[in-house]
Amino acid sequence: PVRRPFSETERQALDMLAPPLLGAARLRRASRRVDEREAMQQGLFDVFNDALLIVDADARIRFRNEAAARWMARAAIDGPRLQLAGADGSDQLGPRLRQVVHAGPGNMQDAIACFALVRADLADTFVTVTRLPVQARRDGAEAAVFVRDLARAWPLAALDALRSAFSLTPAET
């Protein structure tokens, strides 16, 4: 094919199109990096034996790892909201979640809550609710809920992944 120089009209059109196209290319690269980072974080969270759920102030689940999905199935917890009822049917999560979410700045004592879930079918289950740091709050996420089944030991692969990801020593894990 024969190439000819661009005409003045074509140069003007290219000058008009170049900034938005360059911006779109930068946005696409940034989006790809975010997707890669989220995939890496998801993979890291999925090696944990403990359930991790990110919830909003109304206990609507915004994120959960694989362990959380398995634990929820075993605990017969279904639906968009995390509801943890005790043996007597009382809400064990709601009051603690409200305490954590509404804790004032600098009030670290109320920004975390820990309790044992009292249900015969979930014996040895320990729950920790903690307010997310401001920079981690997205899409309405307000708190992290960690559920540890004390009867299950952490697999060595999960500990190795945790050590590697955060440069931790065996003594720190």
Side-chain angles (χ1 to χ4, degrees):
V2 177
R3 294 188 180 195
R4 62 173 178 74
F6 291 117
S7 70
E8 185 60 31
T9 304
E10 290 170 331
R11 272 194 220 112
Q12 289 174 352
L14 287 173
D15 287 343
M16 286 179 24
L17 289 174
L21 290 174
L22 287 172
R26 280 190 215 104
L27 184 60
R28 176 72 176 128
R29 280 194 302 275
S31 174
R32 193 173 304 133
R33 284 193 300 270
V34 167
D35 290 346
E36 289 168 358
R37 188 171 36 242
E38 286 179 358
M40 184 204 64
Q41 289 172 344
Q42 177 72 41
L44 179 62
F45 292 136
D46 283 343
V47 299
F48 294 156
N49 205 32
D50 291 348
L52 165 64
L53 300 110
I54 304 297
V55 298
D56 67 12
D58 295 319
R60 280 189 294 271
I61 300 167
R62 301 298 185 182
F63 169 85
R64 67 181 185 186
N65 66 356
E66 284 183 23
R70 289 189 303 272
W71 179 79
M72 289 174 69
R74 197 170 67 247
I77 298 171
D78 191 20
R81 283 201 167 99
L82 181 60
Q83 297 177 343
L84 300 179
D88 63 355
S90 65
D91 181 7
Q92 294 194 10
L93 176 67
R96 291 168 174 102
L97 179 61
R98 284 188 289 282
Q99 165 205 316
V100 164
V101 168
H102 298 297
N107 184 356
M108 292 310 294
Q109 182 176 349
D110 287 339
I112 189 166
C114 303
F115 61 97
L117 189 57
V118 182
R119 276 178 48 180
D121 61 330
L122 298 174
D124 299 322
T125 300
F126 190 73
V127 180
T128 303
V129 183
T130 184
R131 185 177 55 199
L132 292 173
V134 173
Q135 64 271 21
R137 295 182 202 163
R138 288 181 288 203
D139 302 323
E142 291 283 344
V145 178
F146 298 91
V147 181
R148 169 160 279 188
D149 182 343
L150 298 176
R152 293 175 182 248
W154 268 50
L156 291 179
L159 286 175
D160 289 341
L162 184 65
R163 289 178 188 137
S164 173
F166 295 104
S167 302
L168 299 173
T169 67
E172 293 170 313
T173 55

